[in-house]
Amino acid sequence: MRASAFIFLVYTGSEKCVVSRHHTYDYCRSQLIRKSCDCQFVICRSQRKEYFILLQERFLKIAKIYGETKGLSPGQRKDLEKLYRRRIDRKSLITAELARQLADRSAALNRQIAVLIDRKGSVTHVIAGDFHSITIPDISRFRRGSGRLRGLRCIHTHLGRDHGLSLEDLTDMALLRLDAMVAVEVQDNLPGTVHMGHLLPPNPAGERWHIDTFRHASQVDIPFEGFILELEQEIEQKSGSRQTGLAVERAMLVHAGPAPADEAERSLSELRELARSAGVEVVEVIRQRVIRYNPGHLMGKGKLRDILMQGLYLGATMIIFDQELSPVQVNNIARMVDLKVIDRTQLILDIFARRARSRGGKLQVELAQLRYLLPRLVGRGTAMSRLMGGIGGRGPGETKLEVDRRRVKQRISSLERELKGLRKGRRERRKKRNRAGMPVVSIIGYTNAGKSTLLNRLTGSDVLAENRLFATLDPTTRRIRFDSGTEVLLADTVGFIRNMPADIRTAFRSTLEELEDASLFLHVVDASSPFKKEEISAVEDILEEMNLSHVPRLVLFNKADTLKPNVSQDTVQVQSGRPDRMEISALTGMGLGKMKEVMDNMLGRV
């Protein structure tokens, strides 16, 4: 069978790459290596038949050496590539022959050598390290999931007599969810003691892994195939990852910053409420004081590894950071662990995406999400621009990353045009209201203060009102008549929040513009909140930024019916000497009659 008679196709996941229409095996192999194809199998297609040739077969062998390859000669590279031909029995953790071959190459190169092996016994990666360590490459394309292991085990060498698996070995095993981490000691060019570590399911002692030691690879008697399946099932059951009905995200909340303890606790309390509003189950809350942020990982890598391992151990499916993460920090942290990594801004955007009902609200949320996503579209590899060809070169062409960015920018422009049309329509409606001479009263306040409940109570509406953050996003306007006969428009707006993300504020500009026509603000405050002073300041700061601090305000301490007598006295002290502040209960109607009288008087003075 001549190689020149076939078309060589490489399948990398779901993508297909035509390498060559003719030429010889050596030429095609060099082309595949130059294109850095990490393929699982190759198809040789003739005009009549198709021949599927696996990586382990002799006909076409595509091998890539990962890690520290600088300084390796072509002969040494070829010798390492031969490890891809090894195949061990499914039931074996390691064989004496594989240990011998790894020890031979490690001693000859004076480097640590590693292989990643899947559960079929096939070598998927060959890694060259330095004398002290190895670096495991990206393995995100392999199986993943809550409570599941990766389906790969790492077998690597340790030069000289040492003390078994290092903390770095065990940390990598935990963060990458490897089936096992195996270290083979190399002494006098021969394999020696074998150390094998594996993860443990959650247990009362809090132990995260277990280590076994064998005098030689031939003495390893673990029936690995059955052992790893039983271990994975036990981890899945005890970590609570098997859900009945709909799957629920389980999150660990992390606050890292220089803020004092009381301020950090307040911020974490709000983050917990945001997570609850998003339907996320919180399994653990971590507060870490950081004097100076790490530009690459937000905090020290050692502490970050401990936090990530704790999240994995508790069965978390995501890590939510209270601080806004830069694109570099998100990608670096995500590479360290097999968990979703999001920050406070993305969590708020997810909540908004769930709550938006109107067309305008959905467009605004999508615009905010795309503005947040655009700088975080980070590609991998060296061909990052179609302009990299240089003089005399064509360049790699437009990459997938550039296509994604271009499409996102086009969608952002389209959304901005649509929202511009919606703003124009709203301006026309506001002009009609102004010509009619009907004043507008806007209900503002911190999220979950009871604004929608107050609107429903005053106007008899049925706007969605729930005890959670950002339960409603779409603005609602209703007409209300006072006892004096004055009619006003009562408008409910989106709730404010501390450190409101700039992308959200920009996207919801058309909604917030409704506040500019208000003759009076009803500032609703959750009187039962222990942080009401800070929440009032947050709302006032946003009004100051919008140049709306001159608009008269009536501050309403809502949920007064839930206060204990001593707490109510504290609220009275807050509002002492201020006739424009009062206690109400939108749920029971307490104080609403007096509130209407004050509103009528304040509008008469405007």
Side-chain angles (χ1 to χ4, degrees):
M1 184 162 45
R2 294 178 55 198
S4 59
F6 300 95
I7 300 173
F8 289 83
L9 304 175
V10 177
Y11 283 74
T12 58
S14 60
E15 297 184 5
K16 181 176 68 175
C17 173
V18 178
V19 178
S20 178
R21 194 171 296 276
H22 46 79
H23 296 106
T24 62
Y25 156 75
D26 290 333
Y27 174 82
C28 295
R29 180 178 180 278
S30 64
Q31 289 294 303
L32 293 173
I33 293 176
R34 187 179 68 83
K35 293 175 180 289
S36 298
C37 293
D38 184 15
C39 60
Q40 294 178 339
F41 61 87
V42 175
I43 297 178
C44 295
R45 175 178 295 169
S46 67
Q47 295 180 355
R48 298 182 180 179
K49 297 181 180 180
E50 291 184 354
Y51 299 91
F52 290 79
I53 302 178
L54 299 177
L55 276 179
Q56 290 76 25
E57 296 295 331
R58 177 182 57 83
F59 181 72
L60 183 58
K61 183 70 178 65
I62 308 304
K64 180 179 178 181
I65 307 303
Y66 297 87
E68 299 291 335
T69 59
K70 188 176 181 179
L72 293 178
S73 66
Q76 291 171 336
R77 285 175 178 266
K78 191 171 183 179
D79 194 38
L80 290 176
E81 290 174 4
K82 292 180 180 178
L83 291 173
Y84 278 104
R85 302 177 184 176
R86 301 301 308 170
R87 186 181 181 92
I88 64 178
D89 186 75
R90 292 170 178 257
K91 299 179 181 179
S92 301
L93 172 68
I94 187 175
T95 62
E97 178 62 20
L98 177 61
R100 186 187 64 79
Q101 293 198 6
L102 288 175
D104 286 344
R105 289 161 174 78
S106 183
L109 298 175
N110 201 29
R111 301 178 180 214
Q112 290 191 13
I113 302 297
V115 291
L116 297 183
I117 301 177
D118 61 20
R119 294 187 185 176
K120 296 179 181 179
S122 304
V123 176
T124 63
H125 295 73
V126 176
I127 308 168
D130 54 24
F131 184 84
H132 301 285
S133 63
I134 60 167
T135 300
I136 297 178
D138 177 36
I139 54 175
S140 57
R141 67 183 178 90
F142 289 88
R143 69 197 299 265
R144 57 191 301 175
S146 176
R148 300 181 66 187
L149 299 177
R150 183 71 72 168
L152 295 174
R153 57 187 178 274
C154 177
I155 302 176
H156 68 295
T157 59
H158 280 186
L159 296 171
R161 183 181 296 276
D162 55 21
H163 301 287
L165 293 171
S166 64
L167 180 60
E168 185 177 0
D169 292 334
L170 298 171
T171 301
D172 288 342
M173 175 184 67
L175 294 179
L176 298 176
R177 307 293 289 177
L178 298 177
D179 288 354
M181 178 67 74
V182 181
V184 180
E185 295 184 4
V186 180
Q187 302 173 16
D188 299 328
N189 298 348
L190 295 174
T193 306
V194 176
H195 306 275
M196 178 264 198
H198 63 84
L199 296 176
L200 290 176
N203 55 83
E207 297 179 353
R208 297 177 180 174
W209 46 63
H210 176 75
I211 300 175
D212 290 314
T213 302
F214 306 91
R215 295 187 60 184
H216 191 267
S218 60
Q219 298 182 356
V220 178
D221 56 354
I222 297 176
F224 188 72
E225 184 179 29
F227 168 79
I228 201 63
L229 290 177
E230 292 179 4
L231 176 62
E232 189 173 50
Q233 290 174 1
E234 189 175 0
I235 291 176
E236 192 175 7
Q237 291 171 352
K238 292 190 176 181
S239 64
S241 57
R242 285 185 176 176
Q243 303 290 338
T244 57
L246 296 176
V248 178
E249 294 280 10
R250 296 161 54 87
M252 172 182 282
L253 310 183
V254 179
H255 176 93
D262 55 344
E263 184 176 342
E265 289 297 334
R266 177 174 70 86
S267 184
L268 278 172
S269 175
E270 184 174 274
L271 187 65
R272 184 192 290 270
E273 286 300 311
L274 285 170
R276 185 177 71 88
S277 184
V280 176
E281 177 186 352
V282 177
V283 298
E284 185 63 275
V285 177
I286 300 293
R287 176 170 59 86
Q288 177 66 25
R289 184 171 175 82
V290 177
I291 303 300
R292 180 179 299 176
Y293 289 122
N294 185 313
H297 298 85
L298 188 69
M299 65 178 77
K301 293 184 67 174
K303 182 61 180 179
L304 181 61
R305 283 196 183 99
D306 291 341
I307 292 175
L308 297 178
M309 282 194 296
Q310 186 174 356
L312 288 168
Y313 179 76
L314 294 174
T317 59
M318 63 167 40
I319 306 292
I320 304 177
F321 284 86
D322 196 20
Q323 284 67 31
E324 183 170 354
L325 300 177
S326 69
V328 173
Q329 290 170 342
V330 170
N331 282 279
N332 288 343
I333 297 174
R335 287 191 185 102
M336 293 177 61
V337 67
D338 188 26
L339 294 175
K340 299 177 187 176
V341 179
I342 66 173
D343 57 12
R344 183 174 180 270
T345 300
Q346 188 171 351
L347 178 61
I348 294 175
L349 288 173
D350 289 345
I351 296 173
F352 275 36
R354 288 167 175 253
R355 302 286 188 269
R357 294 291 181 268
S358 67
R359 177 171 174 268
K362 292 178 180 179
L363 291 177
Q364 291 174 113
V365 170
E366 185 181 357
L367 178 60
Q369 288 177 320
L370 292 178
R371 287 184 181 276
Y372 177 84
L373 173 66
L374 183 59
R376 288 163 174 80
L377 284 177
V378 179
R380 296 179 182 178
T382 57
M384 298 297 291
S385 173
R386 56 179 171 177
L387 303 179
M388 286 181 60
I391 299 175
R394 291 171 51 192
E398 189 174 36
T399 64
K400 181 68 164 57
L401 174 64
E402 289 174 331
V403 172
D404 291 342
R405 285 178 173 169
R406 177 164 50 82
R407 288 176 178 172
V408 168
K409 290 179 181 179
Q410 290 174 349
R411 182 57 180 164
I412 288 176
S413 299
S414 175
L415 291 172
E416 289 176 341
R417 286 193 298 269
E418 291 188 60
L419 289 174
K420 186 177 180 180
L422 291 177
R423 286 201 301 271
K424 184 177 180 180
R426 286 178 176 174
R427 281 196 299 268
E428 294 298 326
R429 289 192 292 272
R430 291 201 300 268
K431 288 180 181 179
K432 291 181 180 179
R433 291 199 299 263
N434 293 336
R435 286 195 295 267
M438 187 174 296
V440 177
V441 177
S442 292
I443 304 176
I444 63 173
Y446 212 76
T447 179
N448 200 32
K451 300 183 296 300
S452 298
T453 305
L454 178 61
L455 178 72
N456 290 339
R457 188 76 183 187
L458 293 176
T459 64
S461 304
D462 57 352
V463 176
L464 177 65
E466 296 180 356
N467 183 25
R468 60 178 61 203
L469 304 186
F470 297 115
T472 54
L473 292 182
D474 300 318
T476 305
T477 304
R478 296 289 186 271
R479 184 176 297 188
I480 183 175
R481 181 189 295 269
F482 295 136
D483 294 338
S484 62
T486 305
E487 286 190 353
V488 300
L489 291 176
L490 196 62
D492 183 18
T493 59
V494 63
F496 296 162
I497 196 170
R498 176 185 57 87
N499 297 330
M500 180 177 282
D503 292 332
I504 294 178
R505 200 176 306 177
T506 301
F508 278 76
R509 181 175 57 182
S510 59
T511 299
L512 297 177
E513 282 177 355
E514 299 282 349
L515 301 177
E516 297 177 359
D517 295 327
S519 303
L520 176 67
F521 287 153
L522 295 183
H523 182 177
V524 182
V525 180
D526 184 358
S528 63
S529 171
F531 311 113
K532 52 183 171 290
K533 293 183 180 180
E534 292 82 359
E535 293 171 359
I536 292 174
S537 299
V539 174
E540 291 178 347
D541 290 342
I542 293 176
L543 293 177
E544 182 72 27
E545 293 176 8
M546 299 175 62
N547 297 321
L548 295 175
S549 57
H550 63 280
V551 179
R553 292 193 293 277
L554 176 59
V555 182
L556 307 173
F557 289 89
N558 191 27
K559 306 180 185 180
D561 57 311
T562 63
L563 298 178
K564 298 179 181 179
N566 58 337
V567 179
S568 181
Q569 290 298 323
D570 293 339
T571 305
V572 172
Q573 292 177 7
V574 172
Q575 58 170 326
S576 60
R578 299 289 299 272
D580 56 348
R581 300 193 174 195
M582 60 177 57
E583 291 183 354
I584 65 166
S585 173
L587 188 63
T588 64
M590 183 189 78
L592 296 187
K594 182 180 178 181
M595 181 200 72
K596 291 181 180 180
E597 295 179 4
V598 176
M599 288 173 59
D600 198 4
N601 293 333
M602 294 182 71
L603 288 172
R605 296 195 299 267
V606 174

